[in-house]
Amino acid sequence: MSQMLNVPLRQKSSLMSTKAVILVGGPSRGTRFRPLSMDVPKPLFDVAGHPIIWHCLTAIAKVPSIKEVFVVGYYDESVFRDFIKDSVREFPNLSIKYLREYQALGTAGGLYHFRDAILKGKPDNFFVLNADVCCSFPLNDMLKLYEDKNAEAVILGTRVSNDAASNFGCIVSDTHTRQVLHYVEKPESHISNLINCGVYLFSTDCIFPSIRNAIKRRTDRPRLFSYPSSDNLDSSFYAQDDDEGGKTNEVIRLEQDILGDLADSKQFFVHETKDFWRQIKTAGSAVPANALYLQKALQLGSKELAAASANIVSPVFIHPTATIDPTAKLGPNVSIGPRAVIGAGVRVKESIVLEDAEIKHDACVLYSIIGWNSRVGAWARVEGTPTPVGSHTTSIIKNGVKVQSITILGKECGVGDEVRVQNCVCLPFKELKRASFSQNGITD
């Protein structure tokens, strides 16, 4: 039987201090992002001209009370070193540190493991952002709700179709007070179409006791936990050394182990965003995420976007080092990476062209990702299938087979002249010399 949370009442402070934690996972996760994650960790993959994690940092930098950010994951420290160095220069008001887990600890286990670092300086609360989320991150709105309601926790929610809702954590809330009444991760039957966006604001007084309680419950009754979202069954359970000070070898997840109990505290609220939101789970989902971030940049009047013209259909991001023939037509929703070369008469739409890629004259690229150093031949056609607006999947059924709607060329792939490639995922270093349709993981 689950234990009710006993959380001390928090004194409201006029000068709240806040931190932020970005959860990035590790190399054994993100397998659905292959073949792109074979060369770059998913959080550092460029979407709308910047790494996915950069969009999180940009939102965090807009919250005046945040001075310290922790990136938590179990990648090697060297993976984020250059990004953090560049980010500290770009966001001089933020201290950004990488905290490496010794193994996958789960979304709550990682927070608990690094609780001393998070609690240093006695912050009142802290944000938790999952790095594989694409949204406008309304953190200041969440902070206002937190203060107005004297909350212990605030979760970001959004509405999806009833059919899609059961693929996410579902929130039942009071429509007037916005209090979370009930939370279920991936329910078997429909309970709500208000879902968890993977962005949270927690009181430090609330979250760590609640994680400790979850660890204690698990330790008191050890059993193997397997969840639909688990990528690695072997890491779903580890015995814990001790309750307080020892090494916490337990995989504890916010979504499955903590949020349901937080609803019992009656101080858990939801901020419902009406703006865009989607997960970046599969490699193909980078294309709709790219479109959403580019459209947001266009709304905000970003100077990074290419000026609209007869051959530029906004929004389009072109890296300053890319070479674009003036007769090529780009957009909408296109990102062109560093040193990419786009030839005469080329058409690119709803796509990402990565560093050092080349698209030769009169080729056509639609709903696709062209990998690093890849080549698309003259008069070739590389295309995916558009997915409906609001859809949260990038898979389609073709001839009874589930395939990626987005076509993806991994690193250093080649598409021959006049070759057509449709709804395919091509692994790195492969040459496509003949037409290919609806194939996942082309290797030869």
Side-chain angles (χ1 to χ4, degrees):
M1 195 163 140
S2 71
Q3 298 173 4
M4 290 284 288
L5 294 173
N6 283 319
V7 181
L9 278 175
R10 178 170 40 81
Q11 296 299 311
K12 200 164 184 178
S13 165
S14 57
L15 291 170
M16 280 198 174
S17 71
T18 306
K19 294 188 182 185
V21 175
I22 304 173
L23 302 176
V24 294
S28 69
R29 297 290 190 268
T31 53
R32 283 181 287 174
F33 206 69
R34 291 175 182 166
L36 303 176
S37 59
M38 294 163 111
D39 295 286
V40 168
K42 182 167 70 168
L44 296 180
F45 182 79
D46 277 358
V47 167
H50 295 280
I52 290 168
I53 189 176
W54 178 90
H55 297 282
C56 300
L57 273 179
T58 303
I60 289 167
K62 292 175 182 170
V63 181
S65 58
I66 299 178
K67 300 287 184 263
E68 192 167 18
V69 181
F70 297 112
V71 178
V72 174
Y74 54 102
Y75 290 100
D76 189 81
E77 287 91 341
S78 61
V79 168
F80 290 95
R81 190 175 295 141
D82 289 346
F83 171 77
I84 288 175
K85 202 182 293 181
D86 293 343
S87 298
V88 167
R89 280 198 295 268
E90 187 173 355
F91 305 104
N93 294 330
L94 294 178
S95 162
I96 306 167
K97 295 187 182 74
Y98 180 66
L99 301 177
R100 185 187 182 186
E101 301 171 37
Y102 55 91
Q103 64 187 29
L105 297 174
T107 47
L111 298 178
Y112 193 73
H113 183 67
F114 292 113
R115 61 194 180 280
D116 290 346
I118 295 168
L119 291 170
K120 189 178 180 185
K122 299 185 178 176
D124 299 279
N125 47 50
F126 63 99
F127 283 98
V128 177
L129 292 76
N130 281 287
D132 60 355
V133 164
C134 161
C135 73
S136 56
F137 297 106
L139 305 185
N140 281 308
D141 293 337
M142 291 175 69
L143 192 57
K144 184 177 187 307
L145 177 64
Y146 177 93
E147 291 172 349
D148 289 349
K149 300 289 187 181
N150 198 28
E152 296 295 352
V154 173
I155 185 172
L156 184 66
T158 192
R159 300 279 174 184
V160 297
S161 69
N162 289 344
D163 291 341
S166 61
N167 296 315
F168 304 97
C170 292
I171 303 162
V172 178
S173 66
D174 183 310
T175 51
H176 299 294
T177 66
R178 296 194 270 180
Q179 182 188 327
V180 175
L181 305 173
H182 192 45
Y183 179 88
V184 181
E185 183 67 17
K186 297 179 181 169
E188 291 181 9
S189 57
H190 176 74
I191 65 162
S192 169
N193 69 344
L194 180 60
I195 64 157
N196 176 3
C197 291
V199 181
Y200 316 96
L201 175 57
F202 294 121
S203 157
T204 50
D205 290 339
C206 160
I207 190 64
F208 294 116
S210 103
I211 298 173
R212 187 163 58 245
N213 286 346
I215 292 170
K216 190 170 188 308
R217 284 198 306 272
R218 188 79 66 82
T219 309
D220 288 347
R221 291 193 303 166
R223 51 199 170 111
L224 182 68
F225 276 72
S226 170
Y227 298 114
S229 61
S230 175
D231 292 314
N232 182 359
L233 187 59
D234 292 339
S235 70
S236 290
F237 176 80
Y238 296 95
Q240 195 216 352
D241 288 353
D242 67 77
D243 183 38
E244 284 290 339
K247 198 168 71 162
T248 307
N249 283 337
E250 184 68 72
V251 173
I252 297 287
R253 297 175 174 87
L254 287 169
E255 302 80 7
Q256 287 92 343
D257 302 314
I258 306 298
L259 299 182
D261 279 343
L262 277 183
D264 296 335
S265 75
K266 305 199 185 316
Q267 288 301 110
F268 184 19
F269 294 86
V270 56
H271 174 74
E272 185 179 334
T273 178
K274 307 293 186 190
D275 211 345
F276 68 92
W277 178 87
R278 72 168 298 128
Q279 287 180 306
I280 308 175
K281 291 291 186 189
T282 62
S285 62
V287 166
N290 180 65
L292 291 169
Y293 277 137
L294 287 174
Q295 287 160 18
K296 188 69 175 177
L298 184 64
Q299 283 173 19
L300 296 174
S302 170
K303 298 283 190 284
E304 287 190 334
L305 298 181
S309 67
N311 282 346
I312 299 288
V313 184
S314 293
V316 173
F317 172 86
I318 301 172
H319 194 275
T321 60
T323 304
I324 314 293
D325 189 279
T327 62
K329 185 169 184 178
L330 309 180
N333 303 321
V334 167
S335 292
I336 308 292
R339 299 178 302 282
V341 177
I342 310 294
V346 165
R347 179 72 176 105
V348 184
K349 174 182 172 182
E350 302 281 353
S351 296
I352 299 172
V353 180
L354 294 169
E355 208 168 324
D356 296 308
E358 181 182 8
I359 303 176
K360 294 191 173 174
H361 68 85
D362 299 298
C364 182
V365 175
L366 313 171
Y367 299 95
S368 299
I369 298 174
I370 308 300
W372 306 270
N373 288 287
S374 288
R375 299 176 324 283
V376 175
W379 295 99
R381 187 177 179 94
V382 178
E383 63 180 316
T385 302
T387 49
V389 175
S391 170
H392 286 275
T393 178
T394 52
S395 297
I396 55 170
I397 305 296
K398 277 206 161 186
N399 303 320
V401 178
K402 189 177 181 181
V403 296
Q404 272 290 321
S405 60
I406 304 299
T407 288
I408 299 162
L409 303 184
K411 182 180 181 181
E412 291 188 42
C413 288
V415 176
D417 292 352
E418 301 180 29
V419 169
R420 186 179 177 199
V421 180
Q422 184 176 30
N423 298 119
C424 291
V425 176
C426 184
L427 298 181
F429 309 110
K430 304 304 170 190
E431 294 286 333
L432 299 178
K433 296 175 182 174
R434 59 181 184 274
S436 300
F437 304 98
S438 304
Q439 294 184 56
N440 286 332
I442 296 174
T443 58
D444 55 29

